[in-house]
């Protein structure tokens, strides 16, 4: 549980391998998995909230690694909330899926009417520079974003077995990203985001911007995603942990 107010950290509780640290002089939280990665049967839950008028950027210490599963999938449940006038950025570093890994994630986001929300989730399918290839995996992502209690965005993706590589799916890409920006100025950020994306697409309507990005590997993907984040939020939108 992590809750911030305009004056700083209000409530904080951590258990097990899920930790968080807060660099001085900024409004940034760094999530740390002291277990060193996720394996089959692991179960993580994050509850993060931002109070009225407060600002918070949440990232991770490094890439999250999801290892081979011998049975059940690893599960990660994330609940995010932003009150009136708050700004919440969910910007973890890459999640690396290894061969025969299994990961099921859910994201439940509750936004007040004037809250601003930016989220980027990046998935890397093995480390191509290490010669790793994916023969089979299980991956499921589910997003539900609500503004003032009404459903604003729903998104589900699921892979099972071999990766889909048709021209309408991954088309041989080794990494992908999902980005969503919810704000009154979402439409104004569209041209900058499109200019940052070399392989993918972006659309904006009704106060939200949604983009999907593909790349050969995680390095190339990070370059596009970094430019897209800067197009939305400037240099202040990029977590310090991404540049260390």
């Amino acid at each position: 549980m992590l809750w911030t107010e305009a004056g700083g950290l209000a409530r904080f509780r951590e258990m097990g391998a899920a930790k968080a640290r807060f660099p001085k002089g900024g409004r940034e939280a760094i999530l740390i998995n002291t277990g060193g990665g996720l394996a089959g049967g692991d179960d993580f839950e994050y509850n993060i909230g931002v109070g009225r008028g407060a600002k918070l950027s949440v990232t991770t210490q490094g890439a999250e690694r999801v290892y081979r599963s011998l049975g059940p999938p690893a599960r990660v449940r994330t609940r995010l909330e932003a009150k009136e006038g708050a700004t919440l950025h969910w910007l973890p570093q890459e999640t690396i899926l290894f061969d025969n890994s299994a990961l099921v994630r859910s994201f439940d986001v509750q936004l007040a009417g004037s809250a601003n929300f930016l989220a980027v989730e990046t998935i890397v399918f093995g480390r191509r520079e290490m010669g790793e290839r994916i023969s089979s995996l299980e991956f499921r992502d589910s997003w539900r974003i609500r503004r003032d209690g009404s459903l604003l965005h729903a998104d589900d993706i699921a892979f099972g077995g071999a990766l889909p590589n048709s021209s309408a799916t991954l088309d041989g890409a080794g990494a992908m990203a999902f980005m969503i920006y919810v704000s009154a100025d979402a439409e104004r950020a569209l041209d900058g985001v499109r200019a940052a994306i070399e392989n993918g697409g972006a659309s904006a309507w009704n106060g939200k911007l949604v983009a999907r990005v593909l790349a050969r590997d995680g390095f190339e993907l990070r370059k596009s995603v970094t430019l897209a984040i800067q197009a939305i939020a400037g240099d202040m939108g990029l977590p310090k942990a991404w540049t260390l």
Side-chain angles (χ1 to χ4, degrees), residues 57-148:
S57 179
V58 183
T59 187
T60 55
Q61 183 183 38
E64 183 67 280
R65 292 162 173 80
V66 186
Y67 298 109
R68 177 188 181 97
S69 174
L70 299 178
R75 296 185 180 274
V76 181
R77 293 181 292 275
T78 301
R79 298 182 177 90
L80 306 173
E81 183 177 359
K83 296 293 188 179
E84 292 288 350
T87 296
L88 174 57
H89 290 179
W90 174 260
L91 302 172
Q93 298 193 59
E94 298 87 353
T95 296
I96 303 174
L97 303 180
F98 291 101
D99 196 26
N100 291 301
S101 60
L103 174 64
V104 176
R105 304 189 305 187
S106 64
F107 298 85
D108 179 9
V109 184
Q110 303 287 339
L111 304 176
S114 60
N116 299 298
F117 176 67
L118 171 63
V120 177
E121 276 289 348
T122 303
I123 299 294
V124 178
F125 302 104
R127 297 170 299 183
R128 185 165 293 196
E129 68 277 11
M130 301 293 289
E132 297 171 355
R133 295 293 183 267
I134 301 295
S135 61
S136 179
L137 58 72
E138 178 188 354
F139 173 65
R140 284 181 279 161
D141 244 5
S142 176
W143 285 82
R144 296 294 182 270
I145 301 175
R146 292 175 173 83
R147 185 184 285 284
D148 288 333

Side-chain angles (χ1 to χ4, degrees), residues 224-240:
S224 292
V225 167
T226 295
L227 292 173
I229 292 172
Q230 291 173 327
I232 291 173
D235 291 338
M236 294 301 294
L238 194 65
K240 294 178 182 178

